[in-house]
Amino acid sequence: MERAPQEAGAAEAQGAVAGRARRFVVGGGALVVVAVLAYWLGSGGGNGEGAAAGPSATPTPSAALTVAEVFKRVGPSVVVIQAGRSLGTGVIAAEDGTILTAYHVVKGTKDKGTEDVTVTFADGTKAKAVVSSSNPRRDVATLKPAELPEIVVPATLGGAVAVGAPVVAIGNPLGLTYSVSTGVVSGLNRSAEDGDLSGLIQFDASVNPGSSGGPLLDARGLVIGIVVSIADPGGDEAFAGIAFAVPIGAALGSEGDGPPGDGPEI
């Protein structure tokens, strides 16, 4: 997983990240009037009609979910990626089983066929995979598995991003598969001075090596980004409360081979 540098100061709080690489008082009379009015409306407005049905308790697609509900919904879409000695995460992004991940997780295997890339699906199915497309400038890549599980569960992509909004990250940090962490969006449009990565989502949900390529999710369980890096001011490959993700729109809209980025890796 790549590291991005620590932010330099307030003057660049909205821009580049610098440093070492690696979220009534109501009168009594009014209350009586409100109570009488509510009773009158609830009884059909005094005209003999029944009260209107209340809103359904079933969550709509726009309703916020609990963290447990987000994991239950998206967990089946998350995969473990082993690419040579590199461990990472991916998310199923289409009905045909296409997997979206971080480019640096698989960059050394693109020209080696399927021999060095193995994906493990949530149901335990293992399959070889090839890198079908990549964009080093965005640090994103897609994989095509040679085999698919009996049931393919693609994640739902897209969603607005706002500073302060809650987020959930699912990944395999330090080999601890299907780990979940939570936080908030800490900033937008971040970039690394010593690399080509820019326009990143900054968030504070805990991620570590092995989390790269995993989905960053909003409160509705929509994939809003792909985790790619952390800030590591101490150079000890430890999470310092600052992580970064490529926005899903950029990850989907900028695919195509290009020169490798110079961002730091972990």
Side-chain angles (χ1 to χ4, degrees):
M1 167 173 189
E2 293 195 12
R3 290 202 188 90
Q6 192 178 25
E7 283 194 45
E12 297 178 340
Q14 300 300 318
V17 176
R20 181 178 172 86
R22 265 292 169 235
R23 171 136 318 249
F24 308 99
V25 178
V26 180
L31 287 175
V32 172
V33 172
V34 171
V36 172
L37 181 59
Y39 178 82
W40 181 77
L41 290 174
S43 62
N47 58 6
E49 295 179 0
S56 171
T58 302
T60 65
S62 62
L65 306 174
T66 66
V67 175
E69 289 170 335
V70 169
F71 178 73
K72 183 177 181 180
R73 175 173 293 186
V74 187
S77 306
V78 177
V79 303
V80 180
I81 298 174
Q82 188 75 49
R85 296 182 177 180
S86 179
L87 175 69
T89 307
V91 59
I92 302 174
E95 295 283 352
D96 64 358
T98 296
I99 296 168
L100 189 60
T101 188
Y103 171 72
H104 71 265
V105 172
V106 297
K107 71 176 183 179
T109 64
K110 183 177 180 184
D111 299 323
K112 298 180 181 179
T114 62
E115 295 303 318
D116 287 341
V117 182
T118 302
V119 297
T120 304
F121 295 90
D123 68 350
T125 300
K126 289 188 176 183
K128 296 296 184 179
V130 294
V131 179
S132 56
S133 68
S134 64
N135 187 329
R137 290 187 184 277
R138 290 293 187 184
D139 197 7
V140 291
T142 59
L143 304 179
K144 291 288 288 186
E147 300 176 27
L148 295 175
E150 184 176 351
I151 299 176
V152 176
V153 185
T156 303
L157 309 181
V161 182
V163 174
V167 290
V168 176
I170 303 177
N172 308 301
L174 307 178
L176 300 172
T177 58
Y178 293 91
S179 294
V180 179
S181 59
T182 64
V184 298
V185 174
S186 304
L188 299 174
N189 199 31
R190 303 305 198 195
S191 61
E193 282 189 350
D194 61 347
D196 293 329
L197 295 181
S198 61
L200 302 175
I201 300 170
Q202 177 190 339
F203 63 97
D204 67 353
S206 177
V207 291
N208 279 287
S211 298
S212 281
L216 183 67
L217 308 156
D218 67 11
R220 297 177 294 166
L222 303 180
V223 180
I224 60 172
I226 299 298
V227 176
V228 293
S229 59
I230 61 175
D232 183 18
D236 53 3
E237 298 189 359
F239 181 65
I242 299 175
F244 302 94
V246 176
I248 191 62
L252 295 176
S254 302
E255 292 189 67
D257 294 333
D262 297 323
E265 297 179 4
I266 59 173

